[in-house]
Amino acid sequence: MRTTSPLPPEKQWELQQAEEARYRRGDAIASILCFCCLAFVAVPRFNSWADAAIAWAWMGAPGWRLLQLPQGSETPAKRGDKLGAYQVSDPYLPCENPAKSTADCRTWEGYPRAHLGVDVGMPTGAPLYVPSDGRAAKAKITCSQSAGGGITASIALDNSKLSFRALHLSQCLDGTKAAGEVYAYVGSTGYSTGPHLHWEEYRDGKLVEPSFRYLEQTVVGAKKP
Ligand SMILES: [Zn+2]
């Protein structure tokens, strides 16, 4: 019967030394990585670079390009567009590549950020009306609440690819509503600096640049189809 003989003490010591050196190297690499991560979070200059890198990686994702309004669609809502007594105060800004240009970005807390809807300065309590694409006679209103968006209404038109979201509301009325009916009231809930409507448009569930037509209908009131 064969038994494995133990390594001679000097060999054991050598192995132990090699093992410890490996651990020390691992620790050093981990410390450097940790320091780099902290530097990127703590130093504002690095922080903005990291933001730009993340934004670039994220905006470069193929899905992002779907945010562009498809050709032949409705006229988009622009800054200053009149909606009855109100107007578009903040336009849609996709902020596609902040590392290259921030012309299509909005500055938020010192950093370039996308604004994926349009804002309309409106007083708290102003009613919002169910829009229509000319065919949909009703819409399903789903109310929700989040820290950022505050009280939010999701508006899904009947038998349509179109849906919308209205954020920062003071009140949302859940259920099925007819085109032209009131479904919510403007407010300043969530991350909002004052009463306004933040309006988003979706086609097949994908965010697109909001059209003037439906925004006007929700602010001013839609005709029944
Ligand atoms: Zn907004």
Side-chain angles (χ1 to χ4, degrees):
M1 195 173 97
R2 271 189 66 189
T3 53
T4 46
S5 57
L7 286 170
E10 69 275 10
K11 201 72 196 163
Q12 278 185 30
W13 187 82
E14 246 175 62
L15 277 176
Q16 204 181 324
Q17 288 302 302
E19 184 108 318
E20 275 173 16
R22 219 168 32 240
Y23 279 129
R24 275 197 300 274
R25 258 202 316 277
D27 277 356
I29 291 168
S31 303
I32 290 166
L33 283 176
C34 200
F35 177 78
C36 288
C37 287
L38 277 176
F40 268 90
V41 173
V43 182
R45 190 176 178 80
F46 286 162
N47 195 311
S48 71
W49 288 349
D51 270 10
I54 291 164
W56 183 84
W58 161 243
M59 315 269 172
W64 194 260
R65 313 217 175 278
L66 293 168
L67 290 175
Q68 293 300 305
L69 196 67
Q71 287 235 314
S73 291
E74 309 276 343
T75 309
K78 295 287 175 218
R79 191 199 298 272
D81 277 358
K82 294 269 183 295
L83 307 151
Y86 311 112
Q87 59 175 322
V88 175
S89 49
D90 249 319
Y92 168 90
L93 295 164
C95 196
E96 285 186 289
N97 192 347
K100 247 188 186 169
S101 160
T102 53
D104 62 347
C105 302
R106 176 162 86 157
T107 306
W108 191 262
E109 288 171 351
Y111 300 112
R113 292 270 186 265
H115 183 231
L116 302 176
V118 288
D119 289 349
V120 182
M122 293 174 82
T124 295
L128 296 173
Y129 307 93
V130 174
S132 173
D133 58 359
R135 294 187 303 271
K138 55 186 187 205
K140 190 178 184 296
I141 311 298
T142 310
C143 302
S144 62
Q145 193 159 7
S146 70
I151 300 173
T152 298
S154 297
I155 306 113
L157 299 191
D158 214 26
N159 298 315
S160 170
K161 293 177 171 187
L162 283 171
S163 61
F164 309 92
R165 288 208 317 158
L167 278 67
H168 312 303
L169 305 168
S170 58
Q171 201 187 339
C172 171
L173 312 170
D174 222 279
T176 301
K177 298 265 178 290
E181 237 188 297
V182 172
Y183 67 90
Y185 297 92
V186 171
S188 188
T189 54
Y191 300 148
S192 170
T193 50
H196 75 285
L197 164 68
H198 172 98
W199 178 254
E200 293 172 357
E201 183 171 327
Y202 297 80
R203 278 166 210 225
D204 284 321
K206 290 189 182 75
L207 199 55
V208 294
E209 183 169 7
S211 318
F212 174 78
R213 180 183 169 189
Y214 307 114
L215 176 64
E216 185 186 38
Q217 288 180 2
T218 211
V219 171
V220 179
K223 290 189 187 78
K224 284 186 170 52

